[in-house]
Amino acid sequence: MAEQKKTSPAEFLRQVQTEGRKVVWPTREETVRTAIFVFILTVILSLFFLGIDSLFSAVVRWLLTLA
């Protein structure tokens, strides 16, 4: 197995800085738009799962009345 050269802490920090400069941060508008989208989807999915849960609950209650 080939021996890997260990990176010094100073070299590691230089590499982190180099990679950090490549990051493209979203604009404020993109962040707000994404947050609104996530909120809307969360509401839609919570209502969907509330409906499914209510339906299953009603089915189980009905099945228990048959016993």
Side-chain angles (χ1 to χ4, degrees):
M1 212 160 125
E3 190 176 313
Q4 284 187 328
K5 181 183 171 200
K6 291 188 177 186
T7 305
S8 70
E11 178 63 25
F12 175 74
L13 290 176
R14 277 192 292 277
Q15 290 175 359
V16 168
Q17 281 181 331
T18 302
E19 292 299 319
R21 288 187 196 106
K22 296 178 186 177
V23 174
V24 178
W25 294 100
T27 63
R28 180 175 180 85
E29 181 185 339
E30 290 171 330
T31 304
V32 169
R33 186 180 300 140
T34 303
I36 291 170
F37 180 72
V38 167
F39 177 75
I40 291 170
L41 276 180
T42 302
V43 169
I44 290 170
L45 285 174
S46 63
L47 291 174
F48 170 76
F49 285 116
L50 173 67
I52 294 295
D53 186 52
S54 298
L55 177 68
F56 283 149
S57 176
V59 168
V60 168
R61 270 190 260 118
W62 177 73
L63 287 173
L64 288 174
T65 61
L66 298 178

